[in-house]
Amino acid sequence: MVREKIRVSTRTLQWKCVESKRDSKRLYYGRFILSPLTKGQADTIGIAMRRALLGEIEGTCITRAKSEKVPHEYSTIVGIQESVQEILMNLKEIVLRSNLYGTCKASICVRGPRCVTAQDIILPPYVEIVDNKQPIASLTEPIDLYIGLELERNRGYHIKTPNNFQDGSYPIDAVFMPVRNVNHSIHSYGNEKQEILFLEIWTNGSLTPTEALYEASRKLVDLFIPFLRTEEENFHLENNKDTGALPLLTFHTRFTELKKNKKKIALKYIFIDQLELPTRIYNCLKKSNIHTLLDFLNNSHEDLLKIEHFRIEDLKHIWGILEKHFAIDLPKNKF
């Protein structure tokens, strides 16, 4: 457990982690402060962050299991201590960490007698298990157990649809939320004219509280970008200028920062979500852990072209966007 003495900023708005601990592989805790805020701001930010932390962050879960030898989910199998329903409940509890987009397949293939745990799941290389010791089933006889699994990355809570059982395939309720709980509290000071926001975050281990705070903040920024775009379009209409020159107000401000030799500071806060890329290009970059323009520019042309399904035409498309919105003079000889 890490604790830090609270020192409040009195001028510039700053956040800080003041306590961090890991109770288990599936339970992390962090406490953060944001200050100084004027009266009322702490509640505004606290409510928005709580909703974003609980509802907007994506997680990966097992959403379906299939075994051809199982007639229905309430049946039992000779040689297995647990019922099929209990095995499905155990699969629901498995916590995964991944960069998965969409769905993928996994499987369990073991022979008893033995205890089957999460470690026995055969996963794609981009998915990992947070706690390998999570139990799944206990085989009491020398029988073969094969279960096909479907993994999905999404957000929120999905309840399985009734009567959606086919060919020994059973849907599993999915809790995609990496954040288990969030509390926010407010401390007033300075004759109650200024406030400190305290945020407490508990996660399931697939993300640390700091990572969760970062992801929730990014999601909130993405949600408000359309309002910034509208403001800029109105500005250009009033001045009889081309509204298509800069689709986002943030592009204009980032370009100003770039001209002031603050490229790295600016680019690391510009996410590829803001570039309005085609879905296929966007997914290719996300799967390769490229989330910001700084991530993108830190890769060489050769590294980018090694990304699966990423073509040289895609690279030209992104370069065109950078040249148009940031006036970055990029080399053409690579093409």
Side-chain angles (χ1 to χ4, degrees), residues 48-180:
M49 285 302 301
R50 186 177 188 277
R51 293 184 66 90
L53 283 161
L54 292 173
E56 296 298 327
I57 303 179
E58 295 180 339
T60 304
C61 290
I62 299 172
T63 56
R64 185 172 288 273
K66 181 176 182 179
S67 180
E68 296 179 354
K69 298 180 180 180
V70 180
H72 56 82
E73 68 171 319
Y74 298 105
S75 61
T76 58
I77 303 174
V78 176
I80 301 181
Q81 183 173 316
E82 294 82 3
S83 68
V84 173
Q85 179 68 15
E86 289 173 321
I87 294 174
L88 294 176
M89 291 298 295
N90 289 337
L91 290 172
K92 175 184 173 180
E93 295 298 320
I94 292 175
V95 180
L96 302 171
R97 181 185 180 107
S98 79
N99 295 319
L100 170 68
Y101 283 86
T103 61
C104 71
K105 303 293 184 182
S107 63
I108 299 172
C109 187
V110 296
R111 182 170 178 79
R114 58 171 297 181
C115 180
V116 183
T117 65
Q119 187 174 3
D120 297 305
I121 301 177
I122 303 171
L123 294 166
Y126 45 83
V127 181
E128 61 180 279
I129 296 170
V130 171
D131 185 2
N132 285 326
K133 295 182 179 180
Q134 284 182 259
I136 297 175
S138 300
L139 307 186
T140 58
E141 297 182 15
I143 62 170
D144 294 320
L145 175 66
Y146 175 81
I147 303 175
L149 303 173
E150 184 175 285
L151 314 181
E152 181 181 345
R153 183 178 176 85
N154 212 318
R155 64 185 181 90
Y157 181 78
H158 290 195
I159 302 175
K160 62 185 178 182
T161 306
N163 302 321
N164 191 16
F165 308 95
Q166 51 188 358
D167 301 327
S169 178
Y170 303 98
I172 299 173
D173 290 346
V175 183
F176 293 106
M177 301 176 291
V179 177
R180 289 187 171 186

